Amino acid sequence: MLSIYQHSVVSSQRSTFVKWMKCVFGIVLFSVTIQCTFSSDFDRTKRPEGQEAPKISLPQIQKTTLKNGLQLWLVEHHELPLVAMNLVFQSGAAFDKHKPGLAAMTADLLDEGTTTRDALQIADELESIGASFNISSNFDGSYVSVQTLKKHLEKSLEIFSDVLVNASFPDKEFQRLLKQRLTSLVQQRDQPTTIASNAFNYILYGSEHPYGNNITGNEVSLKDMLAKDCENFYRTHYRPNNATLLIVGDITLKEISSRLETALANWKTMEVPSIEIPQPKTIAQRTVYLIDKPGAAQSEIRIGYPALSRNTLDFFSVTLMNRALGGQFASRINMNLREKHGYTYGARSGFSFVKGIGPFFASAGVVTAKTDSSLIEFFYELDRTHNDGITSEELSFVKKGAIGGFALTFETPSQIAGALQSIVLYGLPENYFEKYLMNIENVSLSEVQTVSQKYLNTSNMAVVVVGDLKTIQDGILALQLGDVVFCDVDGKPIR
């Protein structure tokens, strides 16, 4: 990060973006300078002072639409001879319907062969020019990203367009990936961490809600899946009118748009179905779900409920509240369970911000003998924050952390493209990042108090514990946290 800043200083042509980066990096450098200068007198019992959020000016986003309907966003970034492209489709695992894992398998299979190249040729040609190529998906979208040296842009675009337009979905590669995924599922069912996370999602949302299913699929859905299903998902959703291509790098809009018109000329528009992500069921009262994992070295704890979506107006105040509660190392939850009591290597909390109503969670893997004690401390911190909010000192501290970490989001062209992805995916204002630091700075203590009371009511949370029940069950039952349900490793009740 420091080397990029120094490079920007000696550049003879400082772009607006570089000025902005310098401004943001200055916050971090200020902290480093202060620490180096006064290290011998530094009082480690006091949290360091920071600066007010700087006013920033983001680089201009240039836009155009190709003849095939593909929206193109470009941010010029001429400091390095690189071009990063991130193609964002508005369709992900939420469109899996009755075949969980379909979007993920489609993404995995996309670059395993085209009508003119097999998987090995694609990999070899990308390696020969040093380009990175990645395809992925999550609940909200699917993504094809490329990063290449500008001098190899022509070749990179050739492979990119071939994979995108001429994917062949070979059955041989599908069967190989299917076998890998089924093997991975068997391994997951033996890992308490994965069991707890998957069961937690199922308990909160159920199998009829997309967020209740394993995003990589389950044994039934995968065994019922064919390469043809992936091809159908691809032909339905991987369409230019369902996507935005984000480009950041050493290139102009005129240069890249003319090349893309040629490379993607055969990629055609088609009607793409839409869905409305259903509302999850409300948790009426706190319930404890116990999953037996005989001989487990530690217990996995998940506490939470379906909370809110990415587009909530409370985003900034909730984000800061959670940083203080369990979103960073020096948070209340981690300092209590790890530093004070030594029950765990790390405890945390968070909100999963997605298009639909994503979950709030507090989680940790804890020492088996201290499972009940860990639950007591979890609820102590959750209830304390719910009832009293956080202190002004904590709010000041988490604001500075959020502001300082903001610069790390924009170090490279691919990181900038990745940051713009959230604007496209969730329909955020284009000046979202320009106002980000100001929005963080403007969050008041009373606003944090309000969202703490609004979103941390533990009487409506599910408690999932995976561990050796022979050892931990009596201690948990003695806490009388709520009704108790015994479940299998998928989170389904068994008695």
Side-chain angles (χ1 to χ4, degrees), residues 136 175 242 270:
S136 62
Q175 296 299 334
N242 191 38
M270 184 178 285

Side-chain angles (χ1 to χ4, degrees), residues 16 40 182 228 250 268 288 304 367 435 480-481:
T16 303
S40 59
L182 288 169
K228 191 69 178 176
D250 185 21
K268 303 299 182 185
V288 180
V367 177
K435 292 188 174 181
Q480 297 183 335
L481 294 172

Side-chain angles (χ1 to χ4, degrees), residues 205-415:
Y205 292 95
S207 62
E208 296 302 312
H209 192 288
Y211 298 166
N213 293 303
N214 187 335
I215 201 166
T216 61
N218 56 55
E219 192 174 54
V220 174
S221 68
L222 290 174
K223 286 183 176 177
D224 189 45
M225 195 178 296
L226 303 171
K228 191 69 178 176
D229 295 320
C230 298
E231 186 173 356
N232 288 339
F233 188 94
Y234 155 76
R235 297 198 181 285
T236 302
H237 296 281
Y238 283 61
R239 290 291 169 182
N241 50 311
N242 191 38
T244 302
L245 181 57
L246 307 169
I247 301 176
V248 180
D250 185 21
I251 198 162
T252 66
L253 188 62
K254 184 178 180 181
E255 283 180 280
I256 192 66
S257 57
S258 61
R259 294 187 185 191
L260 286 169
E261 287 286 13
T262 302
L264 301 177
N266 294 326
W267 194 28
K268 303 299 182 185
T269 296
M270 184 178 285
E271 184 176 350
V272 178
S274 61
I275 61 167
E276 186 169 336
I277 298 174
Q279 290 285 323
K281 293 180 180 177
T282 303
I283 297 176
Q285 61 182 18
R286 184 164 62 204
T287 303
V288 180
Y289 299 86
L290 299 181
I291 299 174
D292 194 16
K293 187 60 183 167
Q298 62 179 14
S299 301
E300 289 289 337
I301 295 174
R302 304 289 183 273
I303 303 170
Y305 74 108
L308 41 72
S309 70
R310 175 61 182 84
N311 287 327
T312 174
L313 297 177
D314 294 328
F315 177 81
F316 290 100
S317 50
V318 164
T319 297
L320 291 178
M321 178 269 287
N322 184 66
R323 284 183 75 97
L325 173 65
Q328 60 185 18
F329 184 88
S331 67
R332 290 180 171 189
I333 287 176
N334 195 55
M335 295 304 285
N336 183 329
L337 275 81
R338 175 193 156 106
E339 296 297 298
K340 180 179 179 182
H341 290 103
Y343 294 159
T344 177
Y345 288 115
R348 62 200 62 82
S349 66
F351 289 84
S352 295
F353 290 114
V354 287
K355 286 184 178 178
I357 305 297
F360 163 78
F361 64 90
S363 66
V366 302
V367 177
T368 295
K370 298 297 181 182
T371 302
D372 51 354
S373 301
S374 297
L375 287 169
I376 291 172
E377 299 306 326
F378 261 121
F379 279 100
Y380 168 75
E381 297 297 355
L382 289 168
D383 289 336
R384 179 164 74 108
T385 307
H386 170 258
N387 296 332
D388 303 327
I390 63 177
T391 66
S392 58
E393 183 186 26
E394 287 175 310
L395 179 59
S396 175
F397 182 67
V398 296
K399 279 184 178 180
K400 290 163 188 169
I403 291 170
F406 184 69
L408 302 177
T409 311
F410 298 93
E411 286 188 305
T412 67
S414 59
Q415 286 179 316

